[in-house]
Amino acid sequence: MAPEPGRSERICCAPVADHALSAGEAHDLAAVLAALADPVRLRIFSIIASQEEICSCNLEEPLDKSQPTISHHTRKLAAAGLIVGEKRGRWTWWRAVPEQLVALGTALSLAEPVEG
Amino acid sequence: MAPEPGRSERICCAPVADHALSAGEAHDLAAVLAALADPVRLRIFSIIASQEEICSCNLEEPLDKSQPTISHHTRKLAAAGLIVGEKRGRWTWWRAVPEQLVALGTALSLAEPVEG
DNA sequence: CCATTGGATTGACATCCATCGATGTATTGA
DNA sequence: TCAATACATCGATGGATGTCAATCCAATGG
């Protein structure tokens, strides 16, 4: 389901404010942040994450977006490792990946208050 | 220094995965995420946040970007409430706003593991 | 085998955005 | 007053992105 299954989008453990990020670190972290930096994707993710699992057919109506648009956004969220989809019968069921979200929160957290 | 000083970009305490975000909540949160969803801005922020304070003149060289580009990015980070600038003499000194980063991390963290 | 349905893909379009050269503005120092 | 400097702003440009209509594909059910 994910377009790039082998691609490692795992976020490293280093908090943003701990040291100056390298170009590579910034690139990887920005990719995951970009996946959430859209109101529609953020709502899609919150709907998926706040439930056990949900199929795409239940996303169009509350978000008032077309089916291709929903498909486009779920694809991006999956590519970022934030959700995973499983095709059962005719429907695709989406689940959130809590580990990736927690890793993102950790990466953004201050290691310790900047000593002033 | 911040282009929209009165604009409230403060992130609410509600984690993304706790409930389905409203359009307004998603809009506000996505705006802050978008500010960090760029490799150059992420590196700028990490440089600023990992030091006490720093002036813009020390950002161009390590990032290999032009002065207008750096100014453009610092403006966006400031608009998102992630950094604040203070003009002292000829230089503008930038400091990170830890509260906003912590608030972002909180908003993204899982409130509690989804009960299966 | 065929109609239906969930949903991915394609193509097109409009918009946003990162980037930089050129220029403007304010401050410093001579 | 004038040159130099730090930085903001403007205008242009190329690339990325959100959106949807049209289409294609796969699975279901008759």
Side-chain angles (χ1 to χ4, degrees), chain B residues 38 40-41 65-66 68-69 72-73 90:
Chain B
D38 177 90
V40 175
R41 276 198 297 274
K65 294 291 174 186
S66 69
T69 297
H72 164 75
H73 286 309
R90 207 187 321 211

Side-chain angles (χ1 to χ4, degrees), chain A residues 57 67-68 71 75 90-92:
Chain A
C57 56
Q67 177 267 320
S71 179
R75 178 189 179 91
R90 210 185 316 212
W91 294 273
T92 299

Side-chain angles (χ1 to χ4, degrees), chain A residues 15-94:
Chain A
V16 166
D18 192 38
H19 69 287
L21 295 177
S22 70
E25 289 172 329
H27 175 275
D28 294 345
L29 183 52
V32 181
L33 286 167
L36 286 178
D38 176 88
V40 175
R41 277 199 296 275
L42 210 44
R43 298 187 72 191
I44 290 178
F45 180 79
S46 72
I47 289 176
I48 295 176
S50 62
Q51 304 192 17
E52 185 67 21
E53 61 184 359
I54 193 173
C55 80
S56 300
C57 56
N58 289 328
L59 291 174
E60 297 178 35
E61 185 199 331
L63 296 174
D64 194 30
K65 293 293 174 186
S66 69
Q67 177 267 320
T69 297
I70 298 294
S71 179
H72 165 74
H73 287 309
T74 51
R75 178 189 179 91
K76 285 214 162 187
L77 286 171
L82 288 162
I83 64 175
V84 290
E86 182 189 354
K87 188 147 192 173
R88 291 204 298 269
R90 210 185 316 212
W91 294 273
T92 299
W93 294 89
W94 296 102

Side-chain angles (χ1 to χ4, degrees), chain B residues 37-78:
Chain B
D38 177 90
V40 175
R41 276 198 297 274
L42 211 43
R43 298 187 72 190
I44 290 178
F45 180 79
S46 72
I47 290 175
I48 295 177
S50 62
Q51 304 192 18
E52 186 68 21
E53 58 183 3
I54 193 173
C55 78
S56 300
C57 56
N58 289 329
L59 291 173
E60 296 178 36
E61 185 199 331
L63 296 174
D64 195 30
K65 294 291 174 186
S66 69
Q67 177 267 320
T69 297
I70 299 294
S71 179
H72 164 75
H73 286 309
T74 51
R75 177 190 179 92
K76 287 214 161 189
L77 287 170

